Amino acid sequence: MVIGILVLLFFPEPSLAAEVYSPEQLEMDLQGIQKQYGLDVQIIGQTEKGKNIKAIRLGKGKKSILLVGSHHGREWLSSILLMRMLEEYAAAYRAGKPVGEFPSESFDEVSIWFIPMLNPDGVSIQQGDLSNLNVLEKAAVWKMNRYSRNWSRWKANAKGIDLNRQYPAGWKEVMSHETKPTYQFNKGGQPLEAAEVKALTDFTKEIDPLIAVSYHTSGREIFWHYKNKRKNMARDYGIAKKTAEMTGYELTFPEKEAVGSGFTDWFITEFSRPGMTIELSYLVDETNPPLTVFPEEWKRNRLVGIMLVKEAKQLHNN
């Protein structure tokens, strides 16, 4: 066992043969975009291991929408999507050109806040990069990963908490056999326990967005209705339906026994505004989607952000 631990600690097996999108690459890309377009970049908090969680604002509008990626370590494809969207929209906005059929001047009225990677600790672990962990922490995450060197299945943060099971809406009702820190499905000892989730909820309250979207990466499906108030159902269904038609993704319909504790579950119940969880990619098992799927997912989602800005303008004006 000791030999096995030493092998893990000093020679961690790369979990992914293909290229990945790491927190370090995102930071480099973000610095380039910020320098080129002069965007407002804020640190909204730190992860459990002290990495900065960043939010980027595009536009001058006091009202806003919020797009969040990588709640889960293995879902960094969502970070690539949001960074690509941010860069293309920023270029169009500066040039005064439309994005598709949507005028970029809309950002003068409604801004987009991007949080491309909420869980950089989990993304690093999922990619087999344990360099931010000390020896004891490396041993701990190996235990959380069931003593496997297959890191590609990792969803949780560095403390073994599943961030998208951490929100107060429906948290008590969520049942899971995972009651201890592990690579997925552990909802923690109480809601808002994870530093990343606390940072996001505080920031969301601060910016008070008109619409919020959380991007995930398995199933090409849109969830939109968690315990919604009857008076808001038609409004929110209309926005979700437009998103489904644009992306070609399946639109879920209300279930009486819907399981909550996700970010958009909390947003819908807390703000009484439209929230969607959008799943990119065809259904994958306990791993990340391959990079080869990105061109297709980008084509489907390229106009989603700016379309939601238009919808938010209408919400605000009504």
Side-chain angles (χ1 to χ4, degrees):
M1 178 66 74
V2 173
I3 293 175
I5 292 176
L6 290 175
V7 168
L8 170 80
L9 299 184
F10 297 105
F11 304 101
E13 181 178 288
S15 60
L16 304 167
E19 290 184 36
V20 297
Y21 194 65
S22 67
E24 292 74 23
Q25 184 62 54
L26 183 145
E27 181 62 29
M28 289 176 59
D29 292 345
L30 183 54
Q31 288 177 7
I33 293 172
Q34 183 181 15
K35 183 177 180 180
Q36 185 170 3
Y37 299 106
L39 301 179
D40 178 12
V41 178
Q42 294 187 16
I43 297 171
I44 68 168
Q46 281 76 38
T47 68
E48 295 286 358
K49 292 306 301 168
K51 291 182 180 177
N52 290 330
I53 303 169
K54 292 187 176 180
I56 308 95
R57 179 182 179 180
L58 176 63
K60 301 174 183 176
K62 293 183 179 180
K63 297 297 181 180
S64 66
I65 68 170
L66 174 62
L67 308 180
V68 184
S70 288
H71 262 82
H72 293 136
R74 67 193 188 205
E75 300 185 357
W76 43 264
L77 195 80
S78 63
S79 299
I80 305 178
L81 182 100
L82 290 181
M83 290 294 287
R84 177 75 175 270
M85 188 181 291
L86 170 61
E87 185 169 25
E88 178 162 327
Y89 288 9
Y93 186 42
R94 187 173 71 173
K97 295 181 178 180
V99 182
E101 69 269 29
F102 299 98
S104 61
E105 301 88 73
S106 297
F107 298 132
D108 288 338
E109 298 181 59
V110 177
S111 299
I112 301 182
W113 279 101
F114 293 84
I115 301 178
M117 190 176 286
L118 182 67
N119 185 14
D121 289 348
V123 171
S124 292
I125 293 170
Q126 194 268 348
Q127 294 172 358
D129 178 6
L130 310 184
S131 60
N132 198 43
L133 308 178
N134 63 36
V135 170
L136 292 178
E137 290 166 338
K138 289 176 181 177
V141 297
W142 190 34
K143 180 181 179 181
M144 294 178 212
N145 205 38
R146 311 283 167 80
Y147 300 108
S148 169
R149 292 162 70 195
N150 172 24
W151 299 106
S152 67
R153 62 186 184 175
W154 191 275
K155 288 183 75 174
N157 70 355
K159 289 195 172 181
I161 297 175
D162 189 323
L163 297 186
N164 211 41
R165 293 187 171 210
Q166 264 279 285
Y167 295 89
W171 183 88
K172 290 182 179 180
E173 290 73 33
V174 172
M175 303 300 293
S176 174
H177 64 279
E178 302 293 357
T179 58
K180 296 180 179 179
T182 186
Y183 70 97
Q184 66 176 2
F185 300 152
N186 172 35
K187 70 176 186 177
Q190 61 184 8
L192 307 181
E193 176 183 354
E196 298 88 349
V197 169
K198 187 66 168 59
L200 180 56
T201 53
D202 287 349
F203 180 72
T204 305
K205 291 175 181 178
E206 177 186 336
I207 65 170
D208 196 29
L210 295 169
I211 298 172
V213 171
S214 180
Y215 269 105
H216 293 256
T217 63
S218 183
R220 289 178 177 154
E221 192 168 7
I222 299 171
F223 301 89
W224 62 276
H225 52 69
Y226 177 78
K227 294 187 177 179
N228 209 332
K229 295 179 180 178
R230 184 179 297 274
K231 66 180 181 179
N232 296 331
M233 287 291 284
R235 177 199 69 187
D236 294 3
Y237 172 71
I239 292 173
K241 186 171 184 290
K242 289 178 182 178
T243 308
E245 290 171 350
M246 178 172 281
T247 59
Y249 294 165
E250 182 180 353
L251 192 62
T252 64
F253 286 88
E255 301 173 6
K256 290 183 179 180
E257 305 301 326
V259 176
S261 75
F263 170 66
T264 53
D265 303 327
W266 169 78
F267 181 80
I268 290 167
T269 56
E270 180 78 11
F271 291 83
S272 295
R273 294 174 184 163
M276 291 183 289
T277 296
I278 302 178
E279 296 276 2
L280 305 170
S281 173
Y282 56 80
L283 195 64
V284 294
D285 200 6
E286 294 185 357
T287 188
N288 58 279
L291 273 175
T292 52
V293 80
F294 180 75
E296 174 66 22
E297 302 313 308
W298 171 242
K299 181 179 178 182
R300 291 171 181 261
N301 286 271
R302 173 175 170 256
L303 301 179
V304 167
I306 197 165
M307 181 271 288
L308 293 178
V309 164
K310 178 183 177 182
E311 295 299 316
K313 283 175 60 179
Q314 293 176 354
L315 289 177
H316 178 56
N317 293 333
N318 288 340

